Amino acid sequence: MTRAGERHTGRTQESPVAVTQDGLPGWLTPVARAADTVRPEQLSRFLPPESGSGRQSAVLILFGEGRAGPELLLMERASSLRSHAGQPSFPGGSLDPGDGDPQTTGPLRAALREAQEETGLEPAGVQLFGVLPRLYIPVSGFVVTPVLGWWREPTPVRAVDSGETARVFTVPVADLTDPANRVTTVHPRGHRGPAFLVESALVWGFTAGVIDRILHFAGWERPWDHSRQVPLDWRA
C-alpha cells in the first residue's frame, strides 16, 4: 500500500525507497510542480533512442537549505578521467543490477547509491520528491533519469575518491539565477548551450542544461544576456 503523495515505492535489503512531496518547503513547490508536468522535449532535444539502446543511469539533483538560502549540490569530476574530465556534474552514475527495475525504482536507488559513493552523503536524510523524464547524452550513450531530492537532514559531504571526484560543493540557487553568472558556451564543433560561472567553476553541458530548464519551468529564471559567450576547450 502506498501512502498519500507517493508515486513509486520499493524495498532493498537495507531500506525502502519512495517519491513523496509531503512536507516539502514552500520554495520547492514550483520545482515539484514542474516535475509533474514537464515533457521530455521541453528539457532537451536529446532524447533516449527509440530502440531502447543506451546505458541506463541516474543523477541526484539535490536541493538543500544553506547559509545563503536554497542551494544545489554539485561535484567536479577528476581531471584524470577519460570521460567528462574536470566537468562539474550532479552526483550519479550507471544503474547496477542490485538497484532494481530500471523502469520503476531502479533509478531512485541508483541516484542515492551513487551520491553516497561519490559524496559521502547519508541517503536517509534525503527525501526524493520528483523524477524528470529520461534524457540522453549522445557523446557517452547514457540514458539519464534525473531524480529530484530535498536534503531534509544534511550530512557532511566530501570527495570520497579523489581518483574520480576533485571536489564536492554547493551552489546557492540565488547565484544560479543571477544574470551576472550566466553565459552561453560555444563548443569547438559549434554546439551552444547555457552555462553558469559559479563557485570558481564553469557548469556546462548536460548539467547546466538541466539546471537551466529547472530554473525556467520553476519560474525562477531571470532575463540574462545569451550573447555573452565562453568558448570551450577543444578537449571538452
Side-chain angles (χ1 to χ4, degrees), residues 99-125:
D99 292 326
D101 187 353
Q103 301 303 317
T104 56
T105 56
L108 308 182
R109 293 194 182 93
L112 289 172
R113 175 183 54 75
E114 287 284 345
Q116 183 179 33
E117 293 175 0
E118 293 173 333
T119 74
L121 69 78
E122 175 50 60

Side-chain angles (χ1 to χ4, degrees), residues 1 17 28 31 45 102 123 151 162-163 165 197 209 217 220 225 233:
M1 179 180 296
V17 62
L28 267 178
V31 181
R45 62 189 179 93
W151 211 353
S162 61
T165 307
L197 290 165
F217 288 108
W220 293 348
D225 184 2
D233 187 272

Side-chain angles (χ1 to χ4, degrees), residues 21-221:
Q21 296 178 5
D22 293 344
L24 286 180
W27 60 267
L28 267 178
T29 300
V31 181
R33 187 183 302 119
D36 287 338
T37 58
V38 71
R39 300 188 303 274
E41 62 272 16
Q42 292 178 305
L43 294 176
S44 174
R45 62 189 179 93
F46 298 114
L47 303 181
E50 294 182 1
S51 65
S53 63
R55 190 173 180 182
Q56 295 294 323
S57 63
V59 295
L60 180 63
I61 304 175
L62 185 59
F63 291 91
E65 190 85 51
R67 288 177 293 182
E71 61 185 16
L72 192 62
L73 179 69
L74 295 176
M75 50 178 274
E76 186 174 304
R77 294 169 60 83
S79 59
S80 57
L81 293 177
R82 295 177 60 184
S83 177
H84 306 291
Q87 188 172 345
S89 67
F90 303 116
S94 299
L95 270 66
D96 284 348
D99 292 326
D101 187 353
Q103 301 303 317
T104 56
T105 56
L108 308 182
R109 293 194 182 93
L112 289 172
R113 175 183 54 75
E114 287 284 345
Q116 183 179 33
E117 293 175 0
E118 293 173 333
T119 74
L121 69 78
E122 175 50 60
V126 175
Q127 174 183 333
L128 304 181
F129 69 89
V131 180
L132 296 177
R134 286 178 171 84
L135 303 175
Y136 188 58
I137 303 180
V139 68
S140 57
F142 280 104
V143 175
V144 185
T145 300
V147 179
L148 300 169
W150 158 236
W151 211 353
R152 180 178 290 280
E153 299 177 8
T155 49
V157 290
R158 68 193 189 284
V160 175
D161 183 351
S162 61
E164 294 189 359
T165 307
R167 63 172 174 145
V168 175
F169 59 100
T170 57
V171 179
V173 171
D175 289 352
L176 293 168
T177 59
D178 186 345
N181 297 330
R182 305 214 56 182
V183 295
T184 296
T185 52
V186 182
H187 193 277
R189 295 179 180 176
H191 307 310
R192 298 170 184 266
F196 303 83
L197 290 165
V198 290
E199 300 298 322
S200 303
L202 173 65
V203 182
W204 63 283
F206 174 85
T207 302
V210 173
I211 294 174
D212 171 79
R213 293 295 81 196
I214 289 176
L215 298 182
H216 175 76
F217 288 108
W220 293 348
E221 185 179 31

